[in-house]
Amino acid sequence: MTRDLSKLDRQLINRLQDDLPLVSNPFATIGDDLGLSEQDIVDKVRQLRDDGFLTRFGPFFDAEALGGAFCLCAMSVPEDRFEDVLTKVNAHAEVAHNYERDHRLNMWFVLATESRGDIMRTAKEIEHDTGLEVLLFPKKREFFVGFRVNA
Amino acid sequence: MTLDTKDRAIIEATQAGLPLVPQPFAVVAETLDMSENELLARLKSLKSQGIIRRIGAAPNHYRLGMTANGMSVWDIDDKVVDELGEQVGSLSFVTHCYRRPRALPVWRYNLFAMVHGNSREEVLIKRDRIADLLGEACRASDILFSTRILKKTGMRLSGQKG
């Protein structure tokens, strides 16, 4: 299951988090930087993906710029009703992901819909289905993150 | 911002990822019945419009051992929250950083910063660095660790509208 990443693998994972140039042979420059052939880079990227170290290689889209609407939501779910409420919440296809967190507000999920109006409608439906209040935390501003995993 | 049918087709064809071959754009262009040059020009345009943020790979946090994730939340004076949010976002270990509305009286926090780490201890150390940066502008804070993934679907980016 686990294999040790070589120094080269780590360099490659770090390098692949940079923005790659939109050119015919995007892996060639990485190969030049790391002292490998273009084909070596392609093979290594595929291996890292197949081994699960990388989830995806390609363009990352700004989902809102494509026209969708998103909203972080939270609920305070009584312990003894948790599984029942979870089933009702997750039944909505608009719930994109959902996390249990260690707080009084213990269920945090993201609604992803075609329009802003659908966010409100879905939240109301979930309140109706569960009898619990859904708090909405729409993003007011997103701050640029320079995050990268240091592999 | 305008997306025409061809742009939509490009988004549809690439949102699951690019083929891992030396010339990935040439392969995609062929499936879309357009030239590689046109595809690259359209991708550049989508990027300049902010629809594409970057081309690259997404590392799998969990596979790389970063199994702890904490949503750190902060109650920051509205007058300075945007300025400080920029600084928090630029910390190398913050994966997402947003200003969101408060939900008083139950929720007083208006700045959310997601932090990943190899352990809760590591996440807490990173949280402390955010606290140092925020200083007196921070009136209260909390951190919510995820204890269970309850649902995770691939974000489906609709390419069918327009």
Side-chain angles (χ1 to χ4, degrees), chain A residues 63 70 96-97 110 112, chain B residues 15 153-157:
Chain A
F70 299 85
H97 33 82
V110 171
Chain B
Q15 64 184 6
T153 55
M155 204 62 97
R156 282 167 297 117
L157 310 179

Side-chain angles (χ1 to χ4, degrees), chain A:
Chain A
M1 170 71 191
T2 324
R3 71 173 170 97
D4 286 336
L5 289 170
S6 68
K7 184 163 176 252
L8 198 63
D9 288 330
R10 293 175 186 278
Q11 285 178 328
L12 186 57
I13 290 172
N14 290 340
R15 181 72 176 75
L16 288 167
Q17 292 175 70
D18 294 336
D19 195 15
L20 295 186
L22 281 164
V23 295
S24 292
N25 296 63
F27 300 107
T29 46
I30 301 180
D32 290 345
D33 292 349
L34 299 182
L36 288 174
S37 75
E38 179 184 39
Q39 189 62 49
D40 284 343
I41 297 292
V42 170
D43 292 342
K44 280 189 170 294
V45 173
R46 177 179 294 131
Q47 193 63 51
L48 287 169
R49 187 197 58 187
D50 291 349
D51 289 347
F53 291 105
L54 301 173
T55 53
R56 198 173 80 83
F57 173 82
F60 286 83
F61 295 97
D62 178 331
E64 284 190 348
L66 292 177
F70 299 85
C71 187
L72 178 67
C73 303
M75 294 170 82
S76 179
V77 183
E79 206 61 44
D80 58 350
R81 288 192 57 204
F82 199 87
E83 294 305 317
D84 172 51
V85 170
L86 173 59
T87 304
K88 287 173 171 159
V89 171
N90 279 0
H92 291 264
E94 295 88 348
V95 176
H97 33 82
N98 191 351
Y99 287 85
E100 180 180 39
R101 293 191 181 274
D102 56 351
H103 189 270
R104 199 175 65 80
L105 291 171
N106 52 355
M107 190 183 286
W108 290 79
F109 53 91
V110 171
L111 292 178
T113 63
E114 293 281 324
S115 71
R116 300 201 65 79
D118 288 340
I119 296 282
M120 288 305 299
R121 180 186 53 73
T122 307
K124 290 284 170 218
E125 283 175 12
I126 291 173
E127 288 189 333
H128 179 262
D129 293 349
T130 63
L132 298 171
E133 184 182 16
V134 174
L135 297 178
L136 299 179
F137 296 103
K139 90 177 174 199
K140 291 292 184 192
R141 179 150 169 201
E142 178 171 359
F143 301 105
F144 175 79
V145 291
F147 173 74
R148 31 192 305 148
V149 171
N150 259 316

Side-chain angles (χ1 to χ4, degrees), chain B residues 51-83:
Chain B
I51 292 166
I52 291 176
R53 292 183 163 185
R54 68 180 178 99
I55 314 271
N60 179 344
H61 299 138
Y62 288 91
R63 192 75 174 85
L64 290 164
M66 305 185 83
T67 51
N69 93 71
M71 185 173 75
S72 72
V73 294
W74 311 84
D75 177 5
I76 307 294
D77 188 331
D78 287 328
K79 289 197 289 289
V80 291
V81 65
D82 283 343
E83 182 192 333

Side-chain angles (χ1 to χ4, degrees), chain B residues 1-73:
Chain B
M1 178 189 81
T2 49
L3 293 178
D4 63 17
T5 316
K6 282 187 176 181
D7 290 330
R8 292 276 170 198
I10 290 170
I11 292 164
E12 288 266 290
T14 59
Q15 64 184 6
L18 290 169
L20 289 172
V21 295
Q23 298 190 312
F25 301 111
V27 173
V28 173
E30 197 175 336
T31 68
L32 292 171
D33 202 19
M34 64 177 73
S35 72
E36 185 189 21
N37 278 341
E38 181 180 3
L39 175 62
L40 287 170
R42 284 178 173 271
L43 287 170
K44 282 175 187 163
S45 167
L46 290 170
K47 206 163 147 188
S48 67
Q49 294 175 72
I51 292 166
I52 291 176
R53 292 183 163 185
R54 68 180 178 99
I55 314 271
N60 179 344
H61 299 138
Y62 288 91
R63 192 75 174 85
L64 290 164
M66 305 185 83
T67 51
N69 93 71
M71 185 173 75
S72 72
V73 294

